[in-house]
Amino acid sequence: MTASSLDGSPAGRPLRADAARNHRRIIDTAAAAFESDGADVPLEEIARRAGVGVATLYRRFRTRDVLVRAVLDRVFVAEIEPTAAAGYGDPWADLAGSLGRAVEAIAGRRTLLQLAREAGAFDVESAERYGRTLTRLLERAREAGAVRPELTPRDLSAVLVMALAVAEGSDAAATASGEDRARYLALLLDGLRPGNPPLPAGSEET
């Protein structure tokens, strides 16, 4: 996405104030609609809720996949990337807090993330940027002796996936409140601490 923006206009060209408001309103409305109504919510319904005409929506976002990509980019930048903000406090607290915030952010956007996977809409640059910051947090924690020395960024990604997966099939009320996610994340985080037998080598290390 270097030659043009998601709405088809030349990259770097600023939108008029009213067009920018419509653009943001459509994206915010679509994000809420996907989570509340599921992947099949009609684009016409999104336009209605956003208070714009269907033609305006299609002019800005030519297809559902283009809209999904724009929504995912907004959510990733606004909600997921900040969870891995570079910390300057206690290295363990910074790393554990980052993982906990990421779990909650991702848990609130499951439908959108599923849509993005199906549409191939993941933005590699955003994911890599997030990964680089998370790696810095891991390196600080390793240098401080707060985590296992053999941990890799891939291990942290697995922790996020497992924390979400174990809560998926649990009691709906507990999952909605985040109680199970917090419980299982705490168990997983305990496994990151030093003082335990070394981890077996992973596939990337063999």
Side-chain angles (χ1 to χ4, degrees):
M1 294 188 296
T2 56
S4 64
S5 64
L6 289 169
D7 64 1
S9 61
R13 176 183 297 175
L15 297 171
R16 299 190 319 271
D18 57 340
R21 282 193 297 271
N22 286 341
H23 187 91
R24 176 67 177 273
R25 190 181 300 124
I26 292 169
I27 289 176
D28 290 346
T29 301
F34 287 142
E35 293 302 332
S36 65
D37 293 16
D40 297 327
V41 58
L43 296 188
E44 291 77 8
E45 175 62 15
I46 292 174
R48 185 189 68 77
R49 295 184 192 180
V52 301
V54 174
T56 297
L57 186 148
Y58 279 104
R59 186 164 59 249
R60 306 236 64 84
F61 308 99
R62 298 181 298 277
T63 66
R64 176 181 291 269
D65 286 356
V66 171
L67 177 58
V68 168
R69 184 182 292 274
V71 172
L72 180 67
D73 183 65
R74 168 67 184 158
V75 166
F76 209 99
V77 169
E79 299 178 16
I80 297 178
E81 278 190 54
T83 66
Y88 300 97
D90 177 77
W92 168 253
D94 286 345
L95 178 63
S98 173
L99 292 172
R101 291 189 297 272
V103 166
E104 290 306 304
I106 294 168
R109 296 296 186 180
R110 286 179 178 274
T111 301
L112 174 60
L113 292 173
Q114 180 61 38
L115 264 176
R117 280 193 291 270
E118 294 171 355
F122 281 103
D123 182 68
V124 174
E125 182 180 345
S126 295
E128 289 180 346
R129 200 163 52 236
Y130 170 77
R132 286 194 296 270
T133 306
L134 199 59
T135 297
R136 288 197 292 272
L137 293 176
L138 174 59
E139 289 171 349
R140 286 183 68 240
R142 271 201 304 246
E143 290 170 1
V147 297
R148 293 171 176 269
E150 71 271 24
L151 281 181
T152 69
R154 185 186 183 197
D155 294 325
L156 299 186
S157 297
V159 165
L160 295 178
V161 171
M162 288 187 288
L164 291 164
V166 293
E168 180 85 351
S170 57
D171 177 73
T175 301
S177 67
E179 293 173 3
D180 282 348
R181 289 194 299 275
R183 177 183 177 86
Y184 296 128
L185 179 62
L187 285 171
L188 291 166
L189 289 176
D190 188 60
L192 304 183
R193 289 293 216 169
N196 295 303
L199 295 170
S203 59
E204 66 177 7
E205 303 170 74
T206 57

